[in-house]
């Protein structure tokens, strides 16, 4: 699945969780303003890109799981996580915990989020 062109959910109030095993890319503003979104699970080890403002303003988003080790700061868009729940919990591969923490914080996740 390539969510780079998947902008339909923008602002959808009833979308509560996303789970995908084949996710490669999340496009800019793909899930921006999804007011009921609480969790995202991307099981694909091939996820390498998250667009700008992908989850911008998703205030109920409290759990994000990424199974990939391919995310780099240059491939995670500005404000991708701005406006999500301040206590959001990110689950990532053990070896990426430190580098992903820096990426998520620089892309708007705030200061209270957790990475496990």
């Amino acid at each position: 699945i390539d969510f780079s062109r998947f902008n339909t959910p923008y602002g959808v109030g009833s979308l509560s969780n996303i789970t995908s095993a084949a996710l490669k890319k999340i496009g800019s503003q793909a899930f921006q303003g999804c007011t009921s979104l609480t969790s995202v699970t991307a099981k694909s080890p091939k996820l390498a890109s998250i667009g700008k403002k992908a989850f911008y303003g998703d205030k109920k988003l409290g759990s994000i799981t990424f199974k990939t080790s391919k995310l780099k700061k240059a491939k995670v868009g500005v404000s991708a996580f701005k406006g999500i729940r301040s206590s959001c919990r990110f689950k990532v591969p053990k070896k990426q915990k430190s580098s992903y923490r820096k990426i998520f914080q620089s892309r708007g996740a705030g200061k209270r989020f957790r990475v496990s």
Side-chain angles (χ1 to χ4, degrees), residues 21-42:
L23 196 60
K24 293 180 182 180
K25 184 177 191 178
I26 299 172
S28 295
Q29 302 173 330
F31 302 102
Q32 178 179 351
C34 292
T35 58
S36 296
L37 187 62
T38 59
S39 69
V40 173
T41 303

PDB file of all heavy atoms in Angstrom, residues 21-42:
ATOM      1  N   ALA A  21       0.070  -3.974   6.817  1.00  0.00           N
ATOM      2  CA  ALA A  21       1.267  -4.809   6.771  1.00  0.00           C
ATOM      3  C   ALA A  21       2.109  -4.516   5.542  1.00  0.00           C
ATOM      4  O   ALA A  21       3.230  -4.976   5.436  1.00  0.00           O
ATOM      5  CB  ALA A  21       0.874  -6.277   6.778  1.00  0.00           C
ATOM      6  N   ALA A  22       1.583  -3.720   4.610  1.00  0.00           N
ATOM      7  CA  ALA A  22       2.278  -3.498   3.345  1.00  0.00           C
ATOM      8  C   ALA A  22       2.573  -2.019   3.079  1.00  0.00           C
ATOM      9  O   ALA A  22       2.788  -1.633   1.950  1.00  0.00           O
ATOM     10  CB  ALA A  22       1.437  -4.058   2.214  1.00  0.00           C
ATOM     11  N   LEU A  23       2.577  -1.223   4.091  1.00  0.00           N
ATOM     12  CA  LEU A  23       2.765   0.215   3.949  1.00  0.00           C
ATOM     13  C   LEU A  23       4.199   0.562   3.564  1.00  0.00           C
ATOM     14  O   LEU A  23       5.138   0.145   4.217  1.00  0.00           O
ATOM     15  CB  LEU A  23       2.408   0.882   5.278  1.00  0.00           C
ATOM     16  CG  LEU A  23       2.164   2.365   5.320  1.00  0.00           C
ATOM     17  CD1 LEU A  23       1.006   2.743   4.415  1.00  0.00           C
ATOM     18  CD2 LEU A  23       1.839   2.766   6.742  1.00  0.00           C
ATOM     19  N   LYS A  24       4.368   1.343   2.492  1.00  0.00           N
ATOM     20  CA  LYS A  24       5.693   1.756   2.044  1.00  0.00           C
ATOM     21  C   LYS A  24       5.921   3.246   2.238  1.00  0.00           C
ATOM     22  O   LYS A  24       7.037   3.690   2.462  1.00  0.00           O
ATOM     23  CB  LYS A  24       5.885   1.431   0.563  1.00  0.00           C
ATOM     24  CG  LYS A  24       5.932  -0.031   0.248  1.00  0.00           C
ATOM     25  CD  LYS A  24       6.126  -0.245  -1.231  1.00  0.00           C
ATOM     26  CE  LYS A  24       6.125  -1.717  -1.570  1.00  0.00           C
ATOM     27  NZ  LYS A  24       6.314  -1.925  -3.005  1.00  0.00           N
ATOM     28  N   LYS A  25       4.835   4.014   2.155  1.00  0.00           N
ATOM     29  CA  LYS A  25       4.945   5.463   2.182  1.00  0.00           C
ATOM     30  C   LYS A  25       3.638   6.058   2.695  1.00  0.00           C
ATOM     31  O   LYS A  25       2.565   5.598   2.320  1.00  0.00           O
ATOM     32  CB  LYS A  25       5.217   5.932   0.761  1.00  0.00           C
ATOM     33  CG  LYS A  25       5.446   7.380   0.580  1.00  0.00           C
ATOM     34  CD  LYS A  25       5.775   7.646  -0.886  1.00  0.00           C
ATOM     35  CE  LYS A  25       6.273   9.054  -1.080  1.00  0.00           C
ATOM     36  NZ  LYS A  25       6.630   9.295  -2.485  1.00  0.00           N
ATOM     37  N   ILE A  26       3.746   7.068   3.533  1.00  0.00           N
ATOM     38  CA  ILE A  26       2.578   7.809   3.974  1.00  0.00           C
ATOM     39  C   ILE A  26       2.745   9.214   3.413  1.00  0.00           C
ATOM     40  O   ILE A  26       3.734   9.887   3.696  1.00  0.00           O
ATOM     41  CB  ILE A  26       2.468   7.849   5.514  1.00  0.00           C
ATOM     42  CG1 ILE A  26       2.345   6.434   6.072  1.00  0.00           C
ATOM     43  CG2 ILE A  26       1.286   8.712   5.933  1.00  0.00           C
ATOM     44  CD1 ILE A  26       2.418   6.344   7.583  1.00  0.00           C
ATOM     45  N   GLY A  27       1.808   9.656   2.620  1.00  0.00           N
ATOM     46  CA  GLY A  27       1.925  10.931   1.933  1.00  0.00           C
ATOM     47  C   GLY A  27       1.648  12.135   2.808  1.00  0.00           C
ATOM     48  O   GLY A  27       1.127  12.034   3.918  1.00  0.00           O
ATOM     49  N   SER A  28       1.986  13.293   2.294  1.00  0.00           N
ATOM     50  CA  SER A  28       1.740  14.556   2.973  1.00  0.00           C
ATOM     51  C   SER A  28       0.255  14.718   3.261  1.00  0.00           C
ATOM     52  O   SER A  28      -0.578  14.462   2.392  1.00  0.00           O
ATOM     53  CB  SER A  28       2.218  15.723   2.114  1.00  0.00           C
ATOM     54  OG  SER A  28       3.606  15.675   1.945  1.00  0.00           O
ATOM     55  N   GLN A  29      -0.058  15.095   4.478  1.00  0.00           N
ATOM     56  CA  GLN A  29      -1.416  15.360   4.951  1.00  0.00           C
ATOM     57  C   GLN A  29      -2.358  14.165   4.831  1.00  0.00           C
ATOM     58  O   GLN A  29      -3.571  14.325   4.884  1.00  0.00           O
ATOM     59  CB  GLN A  29      -2.010  16.562   4.199  1.00  0.00           C
ATOM     60  CG  GLN A  29      -1.193  17.808   4.358  1.00  0.00           C
ATOM     61  CD  GLN A  29      -1.665  18.945   3.483  1.00  0.00           C
ATOM     62  OE1 GLN A  29      -2.201  18.734   2.393  1.00  0.00           O
ATOM     63  NE2 GLN A  29      -1.471  20.164   3.948  1.00  0.00           N
ATOM     64  N   ALA A  30      -1.813  12.965   4.693  1.00  0.00           N
ATOM     65  CA  ALA A  30      -2.635  11.774   4.476  1.00  0.00           C
ATOM     66  C   ALA A  30      -3.693  11.571   5.551  1.00  0.00           C
ATOM     67  O   ALA A  30      -4.826  11.219   5.245  1.00  0.00           O
ATOM     68  CB  ALA A  30      -1.757  10.536   4.362  1.00  0.00           C
ATOM     69  N   PHE A  31      -3.360  11.782   6.801  1.00  0.00           N
ATOM     70  CA  PHE A  31      -4.305  11.571   7.894  1.00  0.00           C
ATOM     71  C   PHE A  31      -4.469  12.820   8.746  1.00  0.00           C
ATOM     72  O   PHE A  31      -4.898  12.749   9.887  1.00  0.00           O
ATOM     73  CB  PHE A  31      -3.870  10.376   8.741  1.00  0.00           C
ATOM     74  CG  PHE A  31      -3.763   9.116   7.929  1.00  0.00           C
ATOM     75  CD1 PHE A  31      -2.534   8.638   7.516  1.00  0.00           C
ATOM     76  CD2 PHE A  31      -4.904   8.441   7.528  1.00  0.00           C
ATOM     77  CE1 PHE A  31      -2.431   7.498   6.742  1.00  0.00           C
ATOM     78  CE2 PHE A  31      -4.817   7.292   6.748  1.00  0.00           C
ATOM     79  CZ  PHE A  31      -3.578   6.824   6.355  1.00  0.00           C
ATOM     80  N   GLN A  32      -4.146  13.952   8.200  1.00  0.00           N
ATOM     81  CA  GLN A  32      -4.264  15.224   8.919  1.00  0.00           C
ATOM     82  C   GLN A  32      -5.715  15.479   9.304  1.00  0.00           C
ATOM     83  O   GLN A  32      -6.623  15.317   8.500  1.00  0.00           O
ATOM     84  CB  GLN A  32      -3.770  16.370   8.043  1.00  0.00           C
ATOM     85  CG  GLN A  32      -3.901  17.724   8.705  1.00  0.00           C
ATOM     86  CD  GLN A  32      -3.393  18.856   7.827  1.00  0.00           C
ATOM     87  OE1 GLN A  32      -2.794  18.633   6.792  1.00  0.00           O
ATOM     88  NE2 GLN A  32      -3.621  20.069   8.256  1.00  0.00           N
ATOM     89  N   GLY A  33      -5.919  15.860  10.558  1.00  0.00           N
ATOM     90  CA  GLY A  33      -7.248  16.236  11.006  1.00  0.00           C
ATOM     91  C   GLY A  33      -8.216  15.093  11.217  1.00  0.00           C
ATOM     92  O   GLY A  33      -9.417  15.320  11.302  1.00  0.00           O
ATOM     93  N   CYS A  34      -7.732  13.867  11.307  1.00  0.00           N
ATOM     94  CA  CYS A  34      -8.603  12.732  11.617  1.00  0.00           C
ATOM     95  C   CYS A  34      -8.890  12.775  13.114  1.00  0.00           C
ATOM     96  O   CYS A  34      -8.103  12.277  13.926  1.00  0.00           O
ATOM     97  CB  CYS A  34      -7.959  11.417  11.196  1.00  0.00           C
ATOM     98  SG  CYS A  34      -7.813  11.225   9.424  1.00  0.00           S
ATOM     99  N   THR A  35      -9.982  13.366  13.494  1.00  0.00           N
ATOM    100  CA  THR A  35     -10.268  13.698  14.887  1.00  0.00           C
ATOM    101  C   THR A  35     -10.502  12.506  15.800  1.00  0.00           C
ATOM    102  O   THR A  35     -10.426  12.648  17.016  1.00  0.00           O
ATOM    103  CB  THR A  35     -11.483  14.638  14.968  1.00  0.00           C
ATOM    104  OG1 THR A  35     -12.603  13.993  14.334  1.00  0.00           O
ATOM    105  CG2 THR A  35     -11.199  15.959  14.273  1.00  0.00           C
ATOM    106  N   SER A  36     -10.773  11.326  15.255  1.00  0.00           N
ATOM    107  CA  SER A  36     -11.002  10.139  16.083  1.00  0.00           C
ATOM    108  C   SER A  36      -9.863   9.131  16.013  1.00  0.00           C
ATOM    109  O   SER A  36      -9.931   8.080  16.646  1.00  0.00           O
ATOM    110  CB  SER A  36     -12.301   9.444  15.660  1.00  0.00           C
ATOM    111  OG  SER A  36     -13.402  10.285  15.898  1.00  0.00           O
ATOM    112  N   LEU A  37      -8.822   9.427  15.253  1.00  0.00           N
ATOM    113  CA  LEU A  37      -7.715   8.484  15.092  1.00  0.00           C
ATOM    114  C   LEU A  37      -6.961   8.319  16.406  1.00  0.00           C
ATOM    115  O   LEU A  37      -6.440   9.282  16.960  1.00  0.00           O
ATOM    116  CB  LEU A  37      -6.769   8.976  13.994  1.00  0.00           C
ATOM    117  CG  LEU A  37      -5.647   8.025  13.577  1.00  0.00           C
ATOM    118  CD1 LEU A  37      -6.212   6.727  13.010  1.00  0.00           C
ATOM    119  CD2 LEU A  37      -4.751   8.700  12.548  1.00  0.00           C
ATOM    120  N   THR A  38      -6.917   7.087  16.924  1.00  0.00           N
ATOM    121  CA  THR A  38      -6.257   6.816  18.200  1.00  0.00           C
ATOM    122  C   THR A  38      -5.004   5.970  18.067  1.00  0.00           C
ATOM    123  O   THR A  38      -4.133   6.025  18.914  1.00  0.00           O
ATOM    124  CB  THR A  38      -7.215   6.120  19.191  1.00  0.00           C
ATOM    125  OG1 THR A  38      -7.661   4.897  18.618  1.00  0.00           O
ATOM    126  CG2 THR A  38      -8.387   7.021  19.539  1.00  0.00           C
ATOM    127  N   SER A  39      -4.922   5.150  17.000  1.00  0.00           N
ATOM    128  CA  SER A  39      -3.743   4.300  16.857  1.00  0.00           C
ATOM    129  C   SER A  39      -3.395   4.048  15.389  1.00  0.00           C
ATOM    130  O   SER A  39      -4.269   4.007  14.525  1.00  0.00           O
ATOM    131  CB  SER A  39      -3.932   2.963  17.574  1.00  0.00           C
ATOM    132  OG  SER A  39      -4.896   2.173  16.913  1.00  0.00           O
ATOM    133  N   VAL A  40      -2.093   3.886  15.165  1.00  0.00           N
ATOM    134  CA  VAL A  40      -1.562   3.572  13.847  1.00  0.00           C
ATOM    135  C   VAL A  40      -0.582   2.426  14.018  1.00  0.00           C
ATOM    136  O   VAL A  40       0.297   2.492  14.883  1.00  0.00           O
ATOM    137  CB  VAL A  40      -0.821   4.787  13.229  1.00  0.00           C
ATOM    138  CG1 VAL A  40      -0.129   4.409  11.932  1.00  0.00           C
ATOM    139  CG2 VAL A  40      -1.776   5.946  13.014  1.00  0.00           C
ATOM    140  N   THR A  41      -0.722   1.386  13.210  1.00  0.00           N
ATOM    141  CA  THR A  41       0.210   0.267  13.235  1.00  0.00           C
ATOM    142  C   THR A  41       0.669  -0.003  11.816  1.00  0.00           C
ATOM    143  O   THR A  41      -0.132  -0.382  10.963  1.00  0.00           O
ATOM    144  CB  THR A  41      -0.452  -1.004  13.818  1.00  0.00           C
ATOM    145  OG1 THR A  41      -0.932  -0.713  15.123  1.00  0.00           O
ATOM    146  CG2 THR A  41       0.539  -2.153  13.880  1.00  0.00           C
ATOM    147  N   ALA A  42       1.941   0.227  11.569  1.00  0.00           N
ATOM    148  CA  ALA A  42       2.541  -0.034  10.261  1.00  0.00           C
ATOM    149  C   ALA A  42       3.520  -1.187  10.449  1.00  0.00           C
ATOM    150  O   ALA A  42       4.634  -1.004  10.922  1.00  0.00           O
ATOM    151  CB  ALA A  42       3.243   1.201   9.738  1.00  0.00           C
TER     152      ALA A  42
END
